[in-house]
Amino acid sequence: MAFHDNFVPGYFGAKLAGMGIAFSALVAFGQAVAPTDLGTPAPIVAITGGKLLTISHGVIENGTVVLSGGKIAAVGAASTVSIPSGAQIVDAKGMTVYPGLIDSETNLGLSEIEADEASNDLVETSEEIFPNMHVSDAFHAETERIPVDRINGITNAIVAPASDDTLPGQDIFIQLAGRDRDQMILAKDVALAMNFSGEQRRRGKDRKFPSTRMGLATQLRQTFIDAQAYAASKSEYQAKLEKWQKGEKKDYAPTPPKMDLKSEALLPYLRGERPVVLGAYESYEIEVAMQIAQEFHLKVVLNHVTHGQEILDKIAAYKVPVIVGPIYDFPSANERYDSVYTLPAELYKRGVKIAFSSAGSANSGSPGGFERNLPYAAGYAVAYGLPYDEALKAITLNPAEIWGVADKLGSLDVGKTANIVIANGDPLDVRTDVKQIYIEGHAIPMQSRQTKLRDEYSK
């Protein structure tokens, strides 16, 4: 969405108060946009005449997309697609139509205003190791940030805890519309956040937590070893129980091991059933963290690698996908000025599957974080060498594949969920306005707290 359409400066509320504008008016316009119930029948819609960015099978200059029952029922050149009788016709001539964007790391629903501690539920800092924490328990569906991000074309996102802990909890995958939190959370515990950087070190007086990276690494190893031992004790108990049930053992039934929530939470990850999102920034941090991951045969999605340019070939050799973000970062003292911007292109050249994230940054001054800038991160990467088509894939089909939802999301293909964006230009261009989005075939109101305030006070 163009800057002028959505942006309300962080100090806007304070300025209005200073001008004597009634607080009650701000409250009224600060209320959340009414939710859309995706459980109601979606209409049949034909979006005609637009430029279709299908992602999976090229660009169709004059195309038609038919939405029916919340799915894509037809897509192709306008001359080849039959429009069902009674369909709502949406004239998209001169517009660009593309699948909803996917943000691979956000704090949506966990943080409202970064500077207001009471509105944050980002991380539990009483311990470093909390794999049994579930983001689904904290997700606040009514956040004002979701409508802000949604009207810039973002329809789905990973919600992750903040990175203060080494193992802060398990992520969720959401849709940015729905009647309530249950309808918006598409999958719980889709990945385990694992962080290894200087940010996780605690240097308080009590020295209760690791204050060095050596300590972090040792603590992580011990945690996974404990979980392996817990898994072995469960297997041993199950074997004894089966023998007892068959009458092979005549003594008392075996006693099950005591439930350990932390170890229990780690079992699917030790079995490689779900990915660990491993966040590290510097080259040596990436190497140590990946060594730990390989020791325990973890399925890894690398995250950030912002200053990993020294070991790009090694990163490629890991054969794991990489989430890039934030792209708006300063280079290290020993790096080129454009090292962060060129990182996606360099990874792509080495055959690495990449996805972009807004990295969960919140805009401390007002509701609405930097998640809305997700397409512009991809645009920056194009300016610094990433092929345009690959940049689009990195915010659509690539993340859909990484999170196991490519059969439903990420491209304009028949049978996929009808998460569609209609915009008046290139999705990676900051000057482009998103005119309408559809989620599961439902037209979503193009309003947010910011647009309401803009419309009211620009008079």
Side-chain angles (χ1 to χ4, degrees):
M1 185 68 70
F3 179 89
H4 63 276
D5 260 12
N6 263 331
F7 183 71
V8 174
Y11 54 81
F12 194 42
K15 291 291 185 182
L16 292 174
M19 293 161 58
I21 294 176
F23 177 74
S24 59
L26 286 175
V27 171
F29 283 94
Q31 292 173 350
V33 177
T36 301
D37 187 352
L38 302 180
T40 59
I44 299 175
V45 178
I47 303 169
T48 65
K51 177 182 179 180
L52 308 186
L53 307 180
T54 70
I55 309 302
S56 60
H57 54 280
V59 176
I60 301 173
E61 289 295 340
N62 177 20
T64 294
V65 182
V66 177
L67 319 181
S68 179
K71 304 287 186 182
I72 298 175
V75 57
S79 60
T80 66
V81 176
S82 298
I83 298 176
S85 61
Q88 297 178 10
I89 307 297
V90 176
D91 184 2
K93 186 177 181 181
M95 298 288 176
T96 304
V97 182
Y98 50 94
L101 310 183
I102 303 172
D103 193 330
S104 287
E105 187 186 13
T106 75
N107 299 141
L108 288 171
L110 302 184
S111 175
E112 196 67 10
I113 301 174
E114 191 177 30
D116 180 7
E117 186 176 345
S119 73
N120 286 279
D121 201 359
L122 288 166
V123 69
E124 177 56 56
T125 55
S126 60
E127 274 193 57
E128 280 275 0
I129 305 295
F130 253 132
N132 49 316
M133 297 282 282
H134 306 276
V135 166
S136 56
D137 291 335
F139 177 66
H140 176 59
E142 293 75 25
T143 173
E144 295 280 5
R145 291 171 59 189
I146 282 179
V148 174
D149 302 333
R150 189 172 60 203
I151 60 178
N152 207 21
I154 300 163
T155 62
N156 296 87
I158 288 288
V159 182
S163 55
D164 301 51
D165 295 340
T166 46
L167 292 177
Q170 299 181 65
D171 303 347
I172 59 175
F173 187 76
I174 65 167
Q175 199 144 257
L176 270 63
R179 177 188 61 248
D180 52 28
R181 65 194 307 278
D182 292 332
Q183 204 172 70
M184 295 173 72
I185 297 175
L186 299 186
K188 299 179 180 180
D189 300 341
V190 295
L192 175 68
M194 175 175 162
N195 302 297
F196 192 80
S197 71
E199 187 179 354
Q200 292 80 48
R201 292 180 292 173
R202 308 275 211 268
R203 293 193 167 182
K205 293 180 180 179
D206 57 10
R207 298 289 183 183
K208 184 180 178 181
F209 306 108
S211 59
T212 65
R213 290 180 177 84
M214 293 182 294
L216 296 177
T218 301
Q219 188 183 55
L220 279 170
R221 285 191 173 96
Q222 187 63 59
T223 298
F224 288 119
I225 289 171
D226 291 346
Q228 287 177 330
Y230 175 75
S233 68
K234 288 188 68 174
S235 297
E236 183 181 355
Y237 161 73
Q238 189 61 37
K240 289 180 178 179
L241 179 63
E242 289 174 1
K243 287 185 177 181
W244 180 80
Q245 289 172 335
K246 293 176 182 178
E248 297 177 17
K249 292 181 69 67
K250 304 300 183 183
D251 52 2
Y252 294 105
T255 302
K258 181 181 178 182
M259 175 65 76
D260 181 340
L261 289 179
K262 291 181 180 179
S263 293
E264 189 73 31
L266 289 173
L267 297 185
Y269 301 97
L270 286 172
R271 294 192 292 260
E273 297 169 359
R274 302 176 195 163
V276 171
V277 181
L278 200 166
Y281 292 87
E282 306 284 348
S283 297
Y284 64 94
E285 293 170 344
I286 297 165
E287 290 176 308
V288 173
M290 279 301 301
Q291 183 178 344
I292 295 171
Q294 290 173 336
E295 286 174 21
F296 295 96
H297 308 290
L298 304 178
K299 180 182 179 181
V300 171
V301 176
L302 268 177
N303 195 15
H304 305 311
V305 302
T306 310
H307 305 294
Q309 286 80 356
E310 296 176 350
I311 60 165
L312 290 179
D313 290 334
K314 181 175 284 191
I315 291 173
Y318 292 142
K319 303 293 184 184
V320 300
V322 173
I323 300 169
V324 179
I327 198 171
Y328 314 107
D329 203 353
F330 292 109
S332 297
N334 61 337
E335 293 176 338
R336 280 175 53 95
Y337 74 95
D338 59 353
S339 61
V340 180
Y341 294 143
T342 60
L343 178 63
E346 292 300 321
L347 288 170
Y348 168 72
K349 289 176 185 176
R350 290 165 172 81
V352 178
K353 178 181 290 186
I354 62 171
F356 286 103
S357 82
S358 57
S361 299
N363 197 356
S364 59
S366 65
F370 294 142
E371 295 92 357
R372 63 186 171 194
N373 291 332
L374 176 71
Y376 313 140
Y380 267 88
V382 171
Y384 285 87
L386 183 66
Y388 180 85
D389 290 348
E390 293 302 321
L392 277 179
K393 284 178 65 177
I395 51 177
T396 53
L397 191 55
N398 283 2
E401 291 173 347
I402 290 170
W403 306 118
V405 292
D407 59 329
K408 301 179 179 69
L409 299 168
S411 64
L412 299 183
D413 283 298
V414 172
K416 290 196 174 184
T417 302
N419 287 8
I420 309 292
V421 182
I422 304 175
N424 66 359
D426 183 343
L428 307 189
D429 191 331
V430 72
R431 297 168 297 181
T432 294
D433 287 339
V434 173
K435 298 302 181 182
Q436 184 61 62
I437 68 163
Y438 291 84
I439 295 183
E440 289 192 16
H442 294 266
I444 305 300
M446 301 299 289
Q447 288 182 318
S448 70
R449 177 180 182 272
Q450 294 184 353
T451 62
K452 288 182 177 182
L453 286 167
R454 176 205 64 194
D455 294 343
E456 175 65 14
Y457 295 110
S458 64
K459 297 175 185 177

